[in-house]
């Protein structure tokens, strides 16, 4: 089955460009488009896409609020891939904190766009550029640090989280730690449960906000 994608951007040319790139792949299908976040909810319910490629800044409902509403109201919600112009935009970070699974720069090369959609659809995390890591550190709070301490991660779970924060996939983590991929999946699940994180992206945000992982 192909990965199905809903494109959400107020610029028709951006949507057309993304559609052309994605539909050139045999394993990806664009099932719909929307020009504003306000139109996302009914389309997600109707089309049931695997991934929503979501612009951040839109006139009626921005991508941050649209992400919150989708994750709060849609059962078994799709993955949210934020599409943005600037990687150090605080709007991007707010979208990630709201529950988005990763983000993609509009100037990304076609191969990078395709790779990002596939990664997010598979539940893997995307590497956080330095600018976003720094924003996460700046948003750090004592509450985040206390939550990390209460999680009481084991030594192996802590190692897995550090590698997740560097953007490594399960297979890459397994190779680095010389363990099986299924073992890594079990550790990732334990980390998410202990941190109360929805997915890998939320766990990585917690790691940076708590100071568990340094932005450098």
């Amino acid at each position: 089955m192909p990965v199905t994608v809903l494109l959400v951007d107020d610029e028709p040319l951006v949507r057309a460009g993304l559609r052309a790139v994605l539909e050139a792949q045999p394993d990806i299908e664009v099932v719909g488009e929307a020009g504003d976040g306000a139109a996302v909810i009914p389309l997600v319910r109707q089309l049931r896409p695997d991934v929503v490629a979501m612009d951040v800044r839109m006139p009626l409902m921005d991508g941050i609020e649209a992400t919150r509403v989708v994750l709060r109201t849609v059962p078994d919600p799709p993955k949210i891939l934020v599409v943005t112009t600037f990687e150090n935009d605080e709007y991007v970070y707010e979208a990630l904190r709201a529950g988005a699974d990763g983000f993609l720069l509009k100037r990304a090369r076609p191969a990078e766009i395709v790779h990002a959609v596939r990664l997010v659809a598979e539940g893997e995390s995307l590497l956080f550029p330095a600018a976003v890591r720094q924003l996460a550190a700046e948003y750090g709070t004592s509450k985040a640090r206390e939550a990390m301490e209460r999680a009481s991660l084991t030594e192996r779970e802590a190692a897995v989280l550090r590698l997740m924060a560097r953007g490594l996939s399960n297979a890459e983590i397994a190779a680095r730690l010389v363990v099986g991929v299924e073992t890594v999946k079990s550790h990732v699940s334990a980390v998410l449960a202990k941190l109360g994180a929805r997915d890998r992206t939320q766990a990585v945000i917690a790691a940076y906000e708590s100071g568990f992982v340094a932005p450098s």
Side-chain angles (χ1 to χ4, degrees):
M1 294 291 290
V3 174
T4 55
V5 181
L6 172 65
L7 304 176
V8 184
D9 196 294
D10 61 340
E11 297 182 27
L13 284 177
V14 172
R15 297 200 307 271
L18 288 173
R19 177 181 282 274
V21 168
L22 295 176
E23 289 198 329
Q25 305 303 310
D27 61 332
I28 298 177
E29 177 185 359
V30 176
V31 294
E33 297 183 16
D36 192 85
V40 171
I41 313 307
L43 284 176
V44 166
R45 291 183 179 278
Q46 174 191 350
L47 302 172
R48 303 301 299 173
D50 298 311
V51 177
V52 176
M54 182 93 73
D55 188 19
V56 177
R57 303 190 183 199
M58 294 178 285
L60 298 179
M61 179 185 289
D62 64 31
I64 301 170
E65 183 59 24
T67 295
R68 290 194 184 104
V69 175
V70 167
L71 298 180
R72 187 175 64 242
T73 64
V74 177
D76 191 21
K79 302 294 185 180
I80 307 292
L81 179 61
V82 174
V83 182
T84 180
T85 303
F86 305 107
E87 67 184 36
N88 61 346
D89 191 339
E90 290 193 17
Y91 280 86
V92 174
Y93 188 63
E94 287 296 339
L96 293 172
R97 294 184 86 205
D101 299 277
F103 82 96
L104 176 70
L105 293 175
K106 290 184 179 181
R107 65 175 181 271
R109 297 188 298 271
E112 293 172 332
I113 295 170
V114 171
H115 180 62
V117 168
R118 288 176 178 150
L119 268 186
V120 167
E122 293 168 1
E124 299 281 7
S125 58
L126 296 176
L127 180 64
F128 285 74
V132 176
R133 296 199 299 267
Q134 188 60 49
L135 280 173
E138 291 172 2
Y139 271 85
T141 63
S142 58
K143 183 177 179 181
R145 289 188 289 274
E146 290 167 4
M148 183 61 69
E149 291 173 1
R150 287 196 305 272
S152 299
L153 300 180
T154 66
E155 183 177 342
R156 182 48 61 92
E157 289 165 355
V160 168
L161 178 56
R162 290 189 180 96
L163 294 174
M164 287 166 58
R166 293 175 58 185
L168 273 65
S169 67
N170 286 345
E172 291 168 333
I173 293 173
R176 186 67 59 88
L177 299 180
V178 195
V179 297
V181 173
E182 291 303 319
T183 298
V184 172
K185 289 181 179 178
S186 295
H187 287 316
V188 170
S189 295
V191 169
L192 298 187
K194 288 185 176 183
L195 294 178
R198 170 180 173 263
D199 53 29
R200 297 167 73 102
T201 298
Q202 301 307 302
V204 169
I205 287 174
Y208 283 119
E209 286 189 343
S210 65
F212 179 79
V213 177
S216 59

